[in-house]
Every structure is written in C-alpha cells, then in structure tokens.
Amino acid sequence: MQHTIPIDQIGVRGHAMADPISACVHCGFCLPACPTYKLLGEEMDSPRGRIVLMKNVLEGKVDAADAQQYVDRCLGCLGCVTACPSGVQYGELLVSYRAHTEQTRERGVVDRLARTLVRETLPYPSRFRVAAALGGIGRLTEGLLPGPLRAMLALLPKSLPPAGDPLPEIIPAQGPRRARVALLTGCVQQALAPQINRATALVLARNGVEVVVPRGQGCCGSLGMHTGDDAAARAHAAHNLGVFPDDVDAFVTNAAGCGSGMKEYGLLFRGHALEEKARAYAAKTRDVSEFLDELGLLPPPVLAEPLTIAYHDACHLAHAQGVVGAPRRLLTAVGNLTLREIPEGEICCGSAGTYNIEQPELAAQLGERKARNVMKTDAQALITGNIGCMVQIERNLEAAGHPMPVLHTMEVLAGAYATANPPAATLPLG
C-alpha cells in the first residue's frame, strides 16, 4: 500500500531525504562517477537508480528488504555529488535513509555479530589492540569463517606499532602564535598509525599553531553515522561536544572520514537539544590540510633526496568535504618532491569506512583496481589523508607484488621539516 505521509514528514530527517530526491533530474552524470556502476553495470547499483529505489521505499511502493542489497552496495563515497550538475546532496539522503531503515531492519546472526564487533572495537583504541592480538589466533581458523568475519581478520596487520606516550594536552606554537586549534586524535588510527597524530602536531606547531589535545575525547561518531546507527553516533558525538573547548579557531582532524562526519553534525542532531552547538562545531571543523592551506604554510626545507609520490584523494576528503587542492598545494611546497596523479583517481579504493568488511568482494575488486592505477604512476610512495585508504591500498599493493611506502600527507611534511631540525629537540611531544 502506498505511503500516505509525505517524505519530508518522516522523522526529523525527512527534509534531508525529500530534498535530494526532488532535486535529482535523472540526467545520468553520476553513472561514470559511481564505482559500483562501473563494476556491475546495473542501474539500481547507480546513484540515480538508488534514489528511485529509496523514494519508492519511503513512499511505500517497494519493500525495504527488496531494495536493501542495492543500498548496501553503495560505498557512500559521494563521487556522484562531485559529478552532479544539479547539486543533489546524495550523502544526506543515504545517511538519513540508512538510519531510518535500520530501525526495523532484520539482520542475520553473522551480520549482527560483525556489526557488534565493529561497534565495540573500532571506536576504542585499547579494545582494538586486544582484538588485533586475538585476531592472530583467529587466523588459524580464517578459512572457516563467514565473509564479514574473514574480511575483518584479513584487514588486521600482523602486528601493531607500540602505543607510545599520549600527546601532551597542550603543544605550544613555535615562534609567534598564528592560531589555536583542538585536535581530534581519532580511534583506530591511534592503534594502527600513532605517528600520524605526532606528525600532525609537529607540522601545526612548526607553523605557529598551538595545539590542544582534549583529554577524554573519543570517537567522533562518524562510524555510526555511515552505518545507520544514529544512537551510537549521537552518543559519541555528544560526548566530544562536551569535551572539546570552544575557545579555539578550529577543530582539526587528520582522517577524512572523521572530518566528513563532524561536518555533518547538524544533520545528526537535527531536532535535538544539541543541534545549535553541533552546527557551530561542524562549522569550525577543518581537515588539517585544509586548515594549513587556509592559514598559509611556512615553507618546509627541501628534501635531501628527490622523491616521486602519487597522491590519492580520499573520497570523504575530496567528494564529501570538497578538499582537493589543499593537500596538493602543501605537498608541492616541499622541495625535491614530484607529485603524480593516479589514473581514475576520483574512484574509491574500496575502503569506505567499514565497506571492505561488509562488502569484501566488491571492495577487493576496487582495491585491486586502485593498486593497478597507483602502479602506473611509477611513484616511490603513495600519499593520502585517511587511515582507511592507507590500509586498503597498502594491502592491495602488497597483494599485487608491488609494495611501497603508504604515508599520510602530514608525515611527508613532518619529515621535510625534520630534515633541518630534529623534532624531538624542539617540540614536547612526549
């Protein structure tokens, strides 16, 4: 039976679903920008097709269960948003739709278990370390596990770097203070690559930025937002809203997925008591490359040896946040560094939050495709701005027999600054 309630009246996010649906003119510009359409060639696996499906579900013309596989296969990479001439905010529709349907969705035992493991480990670095250690034992039975659990084990590194000391709560600016920011240290990144936060703090301080690292901060909520778990997302985000100080110029993140979610806090808290504060927080959120580019980078020294890199656009940085030029300008400011573009650089690598766990087969195809394109650049290292992309691409380069260093943008800049002046001698980073 057809739904009798207008879409824009369905819950607090009704307008967030109705507006993109009405804005889509079905022109098809999104099709070549969509990774799943490239792989599968099916209309319902394109943004245009999914918009029609979601509209029909919300209007009661199609059962949600019949549309679910097509919506599930969407990476949420938002390549379609960049390509859309009509300005359709597909991301707002997708996030809101997933939150809406998750309330009544029936999931199987394996699916529920995988989501529970993700929800209870990834946002907590200490728990993730324990899970990673147990994963080494689990590899003995990896072949017997169902898809999502097997994919989780395959993504775990053989070992984790030492946790090291936490960053100081205040890292002073070097020279005249130009700005003051609060740094989100992230979740799983702290366990997988703690050096990224240290590099970020070093580069900011070297550029006259005082860095506040709020004690007690936790997950930003992006993981829950992009998997339809609104309750968990709001709980994490509300905690950080209470922990982060107001007297800063920006809330800085060095993970594209986190920054994208934080900039969507207005959508997450629409109709809630914290909406005004959430919108103000979102307005002050900046990716570290975006912030440094706006501030004006103090020139780093020339690298001791020439280095050719390939830069990968993380989808949640390029498409969701529209930050494309900033990291390139920062990197090309480094002397002796040559930047090369990756063929099909706008296409997702297959990481997409937890996509390589939930859709491992499609993620593997996209990861392999990305690795092949990276190899075409003949670069010596791959640079990007998101930990999920780093793990996905590094793994696929190794599988292709072409391992190479995979680094964060801030690691390159920190290395350039350290060439002339070792950071440990000048910055109190623990």
Side-chain angles (χ1 to χ4, degrees):
M1 182 170 62
Q2 184 167 336
H3 210 298
T4 58
I5 302 176
I7 294 172
D8 62 4
Q9 295 180 22
I10 298 175
V12 295
R13 289 193 176 183
H15 282 288
M17 292 188 281
D19 291 348
I21 287 173
S22 61
C24 179
V25 297
H26 311 289
C27 64
F29 277 83
C30 60
L31 300 185
C34 178
T36 51
Y37 185 78
K38 276 183 173 292
L39 292 182
L40 303 171
E42 293 287 341
E43 176 70 17
M44 289 186 291
D45 282 303
S46 74
R48 181 176 68 179
R50 291 185 178 111
I51 286 174
V52 172
L53 276 176
M54 287 186 276
K55 177 179 184 292
N56 286 336
V57 169
L58 294 169
E59 291 178 344
K61 299 175 182 176
V62 172
D63 191 280
D66 294 332
Q68 205 62 61
Q69 62 175 321
Y70 303 105
V71 179
D72 283 351
R73 285 201 288 256
C74 177
L75 293 111
C77 70
L78 306 188
C80 54
V81 173
T82 300
C84 180
S86 302
V88 175
Q89 294 304 307
Y90 178 82
E92 292 189 4
L93 169 61
L94 180 67
V95 168
S96 299
Y97 178 88
R98 283 176 169 168
H100 177 70
T101 57
E102 191 63 32
Q103 300 173 37
T104 56
R105 179 172 179 173
E106 295 183 5
R107 292 184 177 273
V109 174
V110 172
D111 199 7
R112 292 200 305 272
L113 176 58
R115 286 174 67 87
T116 298
L117 288 172
V118 166
R119 184 179 63 247
E120 298 300 328
T121 58
L122 291 191
Y124 308 97
S126 57
R127 294 185 195 176
F128 180 79
R129 285 186 168 276
V130 173
L134 294 175
I137 301 173
R139 282 194 176 93
L140 299 175
T141 59
E142 184 176 340
L144 303 176
L145 295 174
L149 299 180
R150 188 166 61 249
M152 291 175 72
L153 282 179
L155 287 169
L156 286 173
K158 293 179 181 178
S159 63
L160 294 176
D165 296 328
L167 289 173
E169 191 169 0
I170 302 289
I171 300 166
Q174 286 198 319
R177 194 178 85 173
R178 305 167 68 199
R180 185 171 188 262
V181 303
L183 175 65
L184 180 84
T185 53
C187 303
V188 69
Q189 178 177 280
Q190 290 190 59
L192 288 174
Q195 75 277 3
I196 293 176
N197 283 334
R198 301 176 72 81
T200 300
L202 185 151
V203 173
L204 286 168
R206 289 290 179 88
N207 279 274
V209 181
E210 181 179 86
V211 182
V212 180
V213 184
R215 290 289 176 259
Q217 65 171 289
C219 174
C220 65
S222 296
L223 180 66
M225 287 182 69
H226 297 144
T227 57
D229 192 348
D230 259 13
R234 272 195 293 271
H236 285 300
H239 172 78
N240 276 2
L241 288 175
V243 168
F244 274 66
D246 294 325
D247 60 340
V248 293
D249 299 302
F251 303 112
V252 170
T253 174
N254 52 24
C258 298
S260 170
M262 290 158 65
K263 289 181 179 180
E264 293 173 353
Y265 275 4
L267 177 65
L268 179 64
F269 284 96
R270 178 176 287 180
H272 291 261
L274 286 173
E275 181 176 356
E276 184 177 349
K277 185 170 185 177
R279 289 190 181 279
Y281 186 102
K284 289 176 71 172
T285 296
R286 294 287 185 277
D287 182 79
V288 63
S289 66
E290 178 186 22
F291 177 81
L292 283 168
D293 185 57
E294 291 173 353
L295 182 67
L297 185 71
L298 298 181
V302 177
L303 290 175
E305 299 290 338
L307 178 67
T308 300
I309 64 167
Y311 178 76
H312 164 71
D313 280 300
C315 293
H316 279 99
L317 189 56
H319 301 310
Q321 300 183 61
V323 179
V324 176
R328 287 173 169 82
R329 286 189 288 271
L330 298 182
L331 290 167
T332 53
V334 178
N336 248 350
L337 185 144
T338 301
L339 187 150
R340 290 184 179 166
E341 297 295 338
I342 302 171
E344 289 189 330
E346 74 283 359
I347 299 299
C348 185
C349 67
S351 173
T354 57
Y355 191 85
N356 48 7
I357 295 174
E358 297 171 348
Q359 302 285 336
E361 292 84 6
L362 290 174
Q365 292 181 53
L366 289 169
E368 181 185 3
R369 186 172 185 148
K370 180 64 69 174
R372 288 200 308 268
N373 281 322
V374 170
M375 289 159 58
K376 290 176 184 176
T377 67
D378 290 324
Q380 297 167 274
L382 177 82
I383 312 301
T384 189
N386 188 59
I387 185 63
C389 301
M390 293 172 69
V391 172
Q392 172 80 345
I393 299 174
E394 184 173 38
R395 177 170 171 262
N396 279 277
L397 284 169
E398 290 176 353
H402 194 88
M404 69 167 66
V406 177
L407 304 170
H408 191 280
T409 306
M410 292 301 110
E411 291 184 89
V412 177
L413 291 173
Y417 280 117
T419 299
N421 194 4
T426 56
L427 291 178
L429 297 183

